[in-house]
Amino acid sequence: MEPVQGSLIMLSSVIGKGLQDELDILSEHISDNDYLRILAHYDGDGTSAAIILAKALLREGKRFHIGYIKNLGGEGFRERIEENQDIYTIVVDAGSDQAKFVPEVEKLGILDHHFFQEGPAKALNINARNHGIDGTRGACGATMAYIAALNLNEKNADLFPFFLSGAIADKQDIGGFSGLNQKLVQEYGSRYKKVRTINLEGKDMIESLAYSTDPFFDGISGNVENSKKLLLKAGIDPNTNVFDLNEDEKQVLEKVLGIKLISQGVGTDTLKYLETDMYRFPGIDFTSKEISSIIDGNSKLNKNGTPVQFFLGDESTRGESISNWKKYKSVLIDYAYKAYKELYEDTHVRYFYAPESEMAGSIGGLLMLYLAPQDKPLIGFNVSDSITKVSGRGSRRLVNIGLNLSLVMRVASESVGGNGGGHDIAAGAVIPKGKESQFVHIANSIIREQVSPGTAEERQKPVKKAQK
Ligand code: C5P
Ligand code: C5P
Ligand code: ZN
């Protein structure tokens, strides 16, 4: 990666003193330890954050190992921390809500952006939300890792691609960057090439459309024949790349795809997401969107280590990183169509069953943004041998009228003997197997309370009726 040219920007111009003081303490812990552990939330944001911290630690000459957390419940978290209590551990993209489960552990630094309930703990808890930063839109796990890395050494400004990949994986770029993300993009992103273009990825236009999940085009995504037909009808060479489209072609295609999204009933922010600022970086063959998709896709297939190794410079993992990326997209598209056909509904929520635990959130996110009616949030269940994983997804519009899924997931899960949390627009939980209907029932009544009666219906546009 290109060295930073005489880095004039200082982190102190981007974050407040309180946050910087906490990062200083983390920097001291890093400098006091030769061997550290990074424990990252397993998803695309957490894994991007792990890449940032790994590269920053390498630069400091530190040794480390990386682990990933899936189970955000107290017991699971304690187990992970106890595996290696003697090593200073940095938990990223999780941890604030979990620190209370290991109150005695001192060798623990947390970089997080989730809502949390405070409890006595000796860990260093650095959470965006403690500093007036909106952890749902203005900062993600990779944002927190990036500022921690910058505080360690301003040369880490060149880890910008992975800050961006995390923010994209957490969908914090929808509607444009805001808060701390926006400041970092302005300050540290200006040295890179960016192009305003259609929000697509892949080597040619057929691949771009057929594998597109964000945006998702009903009947086109997942269907090579239909993708080809659409391109030919629009007069676009199916073998061209999104960056090679001329202005006329871009306009025509954007119009066709925009009409498609409108016919799917998407919200305003989602429609705008058809266009984005796409970054390219020296020494990396992939765009910002592609880096994010590679990291996220591999992570959701439980292959976090593959893109981490690749982006740390191990070329031997390139092929596998790319094939996992495509595999994940195909699986997600297939599951999303199936889940859409089998949506169940209560008065204030719709729900579905996902065949794999790590896919419930991705399917829910896709359906909520691109396919399902916009009037109710979605809950996805994945039932395994003993536990059921739950993922909730809402829309900005529902959040604006009072929806807070973090609260829904926490309260509903606790009342059936589980635990949960997250963000207002996207949250998750783990509950005992067999408690799904009870959970839906409780969640439904909490949601009914949250979205003020009368207003929810009034503000809705006409929606397609959910099947089933
Ligand atoms: O744990 P973390 O905060 O990184 O995860 C947030 C999750 O919420 C991501 O999987 C992200 O894709 C999802 N999300 C969503 N729809 C939104 C915002 C976030 O599905 N509008
Ligand atoms: O698992 P899923 O992608 O649905 O999680 C959505 C959001 O909720 C993520 O930000 C995740 O970190 C958070 N979450 C949580 N506690 C849980 C499960 C998920 O904070 N038990
Ligand atoms: Zn995150």
Side-chain angles (χ1 to χ4, degrees):
M1 212 170 294
E2 207 175 53
V4 179
Q5 315 274 317
S7 160
L8 292 172
I9 313 144
M10 294 303 289
L11 181 64
S12 50
S13 63
V14 179
I15 60 170
K17 180 159 182 331
L19 181 50
Q20 182 133 33
D21 287 348
E22 291 180 356
L23 294 175
D24 283 345
I25 302 173
L26 184 66
S27 294
E28 274 172 38
H29 285 301
I30 293 172
S31 86
D32 288 347
N33 289 279
D34 291 329
Y35 187 66
L36 297 102
R37 171 164 69 144
I38 300 165
L39 258 190
H41 188 219
Y42 81 97
D43 69 3
D45 178 29
T47 308
S48 297
I51 294 176
I52 294 173
L53 294 176
K55 284 187 175 253
L57 291 181
L58 282 173
R59 200 167 241 155
E60 299 302 307
K62 303 287 174 183
R63 291 178 308 126
F64 58 87
H65 77 258
I66 308 178
Y68 302 95
I69 317 177
K70 276 193 187 162
N71 184 347
L72 296 168
E75 249 171 67
F77 188 75
R78 171 164 270 286
E79 235 168 67
R80 296 308 303 273
I81 295 299
E82 283 178 350
E83 274 169 12
N84 255 320
Q85 263 208 67
D86 301 334
I87 302 173
Y88 193 86
T89 298
I90 305 174
V91 173
V92 68
D93 192 29
S96 293
D97 205 32
Q98 288 76 24
K100 56 181 176 283
F101 300 119
V102 288
E104 76 289 2
V105 178
E106 276 182 75
K107 292 187 168 185
L108 182 60
I110 292 163
L111 292 165
D112 201 356
H113 68 122
H114 293 89
F115 283 117
F116 66 100
Q117 285 194 302
E118 197 112 37
K122 289 189 174 159
L124 169 66
N125 176 25
I126 310 179
N127 189 306
R129 294 182 188 269
N130 283 346
H131 302 279
I133 300 162
D134 171 4
T136 300
R137 294 193 58 184
C140 63
T143 315
M144 299 306 287
Y146 190 48
I147 57 171
L150 284 165
N151 194 54
L152 209 53
N153 187 338
E154 281 276 342
K155 280 190 185 157
N156 290 323
D158 67 354
L159 305 180
F160 182 81
F162 305 103
F163 146 61
L164 223 46
S165 69
I168 296 170
D170 257 14
K171 301 192 196 294
Q172 294 198 343
D173 60 331
I174 296 183
F177 284 114
S178 62
L180 178 55
N181 287 335
Q182 188 185 38
K183 286 185 196 163
L184 290 167
V185 165
Q186 279 165 358
E187 296 292 348
Y188 295 96
S190 55
R191 69 196 72 188
Y192 299 107
K193 270 192 212 140
K194 85 176 175 194
V195 180
R196 186 96 195 139
T197 187
I198 308 179
N199 197 0
L200 294 172
E201 59 196 76
K203 66 178 186 322
D204 59 47
M205 289 307 297
I206 293 199
E207 197 179 288
S208 298
L209 291 184
Y211 283 101
S212 192
T213 55
D214 222 348
F216 181 86
F217 308 106
D218 191 10
I220 307 294
S221 299
N223 190 318
V224 171
E225 267 317 299
N226 288 353
S227 300
K228 194 169 172 183
K229 269 191 220 154
L230 183 147
L231 290 165
L232 293 175
K233 206 170 155 201
I236 287 158
D237 174 4
N239 298 313
T240 196
N241 180 279
V242 68
F243 279 104
D244 299 328
L245 298 175
N246 64 37
E247 278 310 312
D248 287 347
E249 289 173 327
K250 234 195 295 192
Q251 264 184 30
V252 171
L253 188 57
E254 219 174 307
K255 193 167 164 200
V256 172
L257 295 177
I259 291 170
K260 181 95 203 90
L261 289 181
I262 291 167
S263 76
Q264 291 169 214
V266 306
T268 323
D269 273 349
T270 314
L271 182 60
K272 283 194 209 141
Y273 201 48
L274 185 53
E275 218 187 53
T276 194
D277 287 334
M278 198 83 81
Y279 284 80
R280 286 204 274 198
F281 309 102
I284 304 183
D285 299 338
F286 302 99
T287 65
S288 41
K289 184 177 178 68
E290 289 167 344
I291 298 172
S292 181
S293 288
I294 291 170
I295 297 173
D296 192 51
N298 276 265
S299 307
K300 300 276 168 61
L301 295 180
N302 290 320
K303 304 283 184 196
N304 306 68
T306 309
V308 171
Q309 270 175 268
F310 176 58
F311 288 114
L312 287 179
D314 178 359
E315 270 298 312
S316 73
T317 54
R318 174 186 287 264
E320 202 193 330
S321 296
I322 295 174
S323 65
N324 286 339
W325 164 31
K326 305 286 165 193
K327 187 173 160 196
Y328 166 72
K329 293 271 177 185
S330 309
V331 171
L332 172 58
I333 292 170
D334 182 38
Y335 287 170
Y337 281 125
K338 284 186 183 140
Y340 182 52
K341 281 197 197 129
E342 297 211 18
L343 274 187
Y344 299 88
E345 70 182 312
D346 205 328
T347 54
H348 287 76
V349 71
R350 289 188 180 81
Y351 57 101
F352 63 92
Y353 291 86
E356 285 176 47
S357 67
E358 270 50 84
M359 300 300 287
S362 309
I363 299 168
L366 190 159
L367 294 182
M368 193 69 239
L369 283 169
Y370 300 107
L371 276 179
Q374 297 290 298
D375 58 335
K376 297 174 192 177
L378 278 176
I379 290 177
F381 292 106
N382 170 258
V383 185
S384 66
D385 289 345
S386 57
I387 56 148
T388 293
K389 274 207 67 180
V390 193
S391 279
R393 294 292 186 271
S395 66
R396 291 244 164 102
R397 199 161 38 159
L398 287 168
V399 167
N400 288 342
I401 61 167
L403 178 73
N404 184 346
L405 284 174
S406 177
L407 218 67
V408 174
M409 288 291 141
R410 183 160 60 76
V411 176
S413 65
E414 282 172 5
S415 53
V416 298
N419 59 75
H423 306 284
D424 50 15
I425 199 164
V430 177
I431 57 170
K433 181 182 175 178
K435 297 284 184 185
E436 298 80 21
S437 354
Q438 206 182 331
F439 181 93
V440 170
H441 185 70
I442 300 166
N444 192 63
S445 48
I446 304 173
I447 296 165
R448 185 190 315 129
E449 291 285 307
Q450 288 182 343
V451 298
S452 25
T455 43
E457 286 79 6
E458 274 165 39
R459 296 190 200 192
Q460 298 313 314
K461 59 186 173 178
V463 291
K464 270 196 290 179
K465 202 173 157 13
Q467 299 166 22
K468 204 152 182 177

